[in-house]
């Protein structure tokens, strides 16, 4: 009798624990500040996963963006993250100056997404019209240990400037930078993001601005992964002309600890839900499946490779 009862209890335990174990699978989506582009796209991806992966519980986490995201992935505290290409390369190589004390060997790429445009915006009152005009002025270079801050260092160095040449350097997220500019406490901000970033749209509707050009010759001094692009006229209120600048490709990145099956499902859902991402933010319109498997400084996750092979992007 006791043996029979134990067998029944054991059988019930297996039935109950199976679905419970699957339901405990967790995906933490690492993004950036809430006023940037990573966050609304991350929220959209989180919703896609929640709706279409019934055995997965999803969370979207606001962070300081690229550098922090990469460290969190390495520590097993996230399953998918938005990162800038130059930060990804630095993490893979263990570039200590960029914020990585050792090589982050667990990183694996899901796919390339949209380019980040280096958008340097000054108040019209500041008189800043060129990169050289930043000398002696106040500039926000992005949150500490963010991809934007690494971009700031690279752009200024290529223009023959350093933080010592800037009158005052602020290490602030996008929204806080804009608040200071509105209050005339900051001359300019460098924001590395998709076009139409909410913080700069907000600024341009309330303050006269100048979008500062990054010339091609400056970009050429840095080289890959920076490329020359154009911010189209009318992207921001009062911006009447096209402005040349630099861009860096963004990536969605995971870790080797994520299973092949989950990585496959995440990759498939993202690149088969592009209309939803385009609706979440204008930058989502620039995500193209045909570019997804190209150019990452870090190996693709085997699960992502499986999907790209199915779609004929990888032989």
């Amino acid at each position: 009798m006791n043996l029979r009862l134990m067998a029944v209890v054991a059988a019930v335990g297996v039935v109950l624990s199976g679905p419970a174990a699957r339901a405990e699978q967790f995906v933490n989506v690492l993004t950036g500040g809430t006023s940037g582009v990573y966050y609304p796209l991350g929220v959209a991806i989180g919703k896609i996963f929640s709706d279409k992966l019934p055995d997965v519980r999803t969370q979207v986490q606001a962070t300081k963006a690229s550098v922090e995201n990469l460290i969190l992935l390495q520590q097993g505290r996230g399953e998918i993250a938005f990162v800038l290409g130059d930060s990804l390369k630095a993490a893979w190589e263990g570039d200590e100056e960029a914020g990585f004390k050792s090589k982050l060997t667990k990183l694996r790429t899901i796919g390339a997404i949209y380019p980040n445009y280096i958008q340097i915006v000054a108040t019209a009152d500041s008189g800043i019209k060129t990169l050289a005009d930043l000398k002696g002025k106040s500039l926000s270079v992005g949150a500490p240990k963010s991809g934007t801050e690494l971009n700031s260092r690279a752009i200024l160095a290529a223009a023959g400037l350093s933080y010592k040449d800037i009158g005052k350097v602020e290490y602030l997220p996008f929204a806080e930078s804009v608040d200071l500019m509105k209050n005339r406490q900051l001359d300019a901000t460098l924001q590395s993001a998709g076009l139409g970033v909410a913080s700069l749209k907000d600024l341009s509707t309330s303050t006269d601005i100048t979008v500062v050009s990054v010339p091609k010759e400056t970009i050429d001094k840095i080289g890959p992964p920076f490329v020359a692009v154009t911010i189209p006229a009318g992207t921001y209120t009062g911006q009447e002309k096209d402005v040349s600048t630099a861009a860096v490709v963004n990536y969605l990145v995971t870790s080797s600890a994520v299973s092949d099956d989950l990585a496959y499902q995440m990759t498939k859902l993202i690149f088969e839900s592009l209309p939803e991402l385009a609706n979440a933010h204008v930058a989502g319109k620039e995500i193209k499946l045909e570019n997804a498997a190209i150019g990452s400084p870090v190996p693709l996750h085997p699960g992502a490779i499986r999907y790209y092979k199915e779609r004929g992007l990888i032989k």
Side-chain angles (χ1 to χ4, degrees):
M1 185 93 172
N2 287 340
L3 288 173
R4 271 189 210 158
L5 182 59
M6 288 172 65
V8 169
V9 170
V12 171
V14 169
V15 171
L16 294 177
S17 66
R22 287 196 299 272
E24 287 177 1
Q25 192 165 22
F26 185 70
V27 171
N28 190 21
V29 183
L30 303 170
T31 61
T34 55
S35 61
V37 179
Y38 287 175
Y39 187 77
L41 287 179
V43 169
I45 287 174
K47 185 176 188 308
I48 291 164
F49 290 172
S50 294
D51 291 347
K52 299 181 180 180
L53 292 174
D55 296 327
V56 170
R57 188 160 55 93
T58 307
Q59 172 182 298
V60 178
Q61 181 178 341
T63 68
K64 293 177 182 176
S66 297
V67 176
E68 182 181 10
N69 289 352
L70 289 162
I71 292 170
L72 290 173
L73 282 177
Q74 179 74 14
Q75 294 172 343
R77 295 166 62 191
E79 283 64 46
I80 187 168
F82 290 80
V83 302
L84 270 169
D86 58 336
S87 298
L88 184 57
K89 182 174 184 288
W92 188 247
E93 294 173 352
D95 185 342
E96 191 166 350
E97 193 171 322
F100 305 104
K101 295 179 180 179
S102 60
K103 296 180 179 182
L104 304 191
T105 57
K106 295 180 181 178
L107 303 177
R108 298 293 183 271
T109 300
I110 290 290
I113 44 174
Y114 66 92
N116 251 31
Y117 288 67
I118 308 301
Q119 299 166 81
I120 304 173
V121 176
T123 60
D125 290 346
S126 70
I128 297 169
K129 295 181 179 178
T130 68
L131 289 174
D133 293 336
L134 291 169
K135 192 169 184 178
K137 303 290 186 177
S138 56
L139 171 69
S140 177
V141 295
K145 296 184 179 180
S146 67
T148 291
E149 203 262 315
L150 294 184
N151 289 172
S152 296
R153 290 176 184 268
I155 294 294
L156 290 174
L161 298 169
S162 71
Y163 287 173
K164 292 179 181 178
D165 297 308
I166 306 301
K168 185 178 183 182
V169 176
E170 298 280 6
Y171 297 87
L172 297 172
F174 294 173
E176 291 178 33
S177 302
V178 164
D179 287 342
L180 287 184
M181 291 176 75
K182 287 179 179 179
N183 294 326
R184 299 188 178 187
Q185 295 174 290
L186 181 70
D187 294 318
T189 178
L190 186 152
Q191 304 196 0
S192 180
L195 286 180
V197 62
S199 54
L200 295 180
K201 279 194 165 185
D202 174 36
L203 176 67
S204 69
T205 58
S206 60
T207 305
D208 290 336
I209 64 166
T210 300
V211 183
V212 180
S213 171
V214 180
K216 187 178 184 302
E217 55 267 29
T218 301
I219 301 163
D220 289 343
K221 288 179 183 177
I222 309 172
F226 288 82
V227 294
V229 292
T230 299
I231 302 173
T235 299
Y236 300 107
T237 303
Q239 183 206 338
E240 297 177 353
K241 297 180 180 179
D242 290 351
V243 177
S244 60
T245 192
V248 185
V249 174
N250 284 286
Y251 291 88
L252 284 169
V253 181
T254 185
S255 84
S256 57
V258 170
S259 71
D260 291 1
D261 184 61
L262 179 56
Y264 167 81
Q265 293 291 342
M266 291 194 299
T267 308
K268 178 181 173 70
L269 285 174
I270 289 164
F271 287 100
E272 293 185 1
S273 305
L274 295 183
E276 288 95 319
L277 299 185
N279 287 335
H281 195 281
V282 65
K285 295 178 180 178
E286 298 187 60
I287 304 174
K288 310 292 183 186
L289 174 61
E290 57 266 30
N291 299 329
I294 298 172
S296 174
V298 168
L300 288 165
H301 193 290
I305 291 173
R306 176 182 155 198
Y307 175 71
Y308 296 137
K309 283 184 175 179
E310 287 181 359
R311 296 302 302 267
L313 297 177
I314 296 177
K315 292 183 180 180

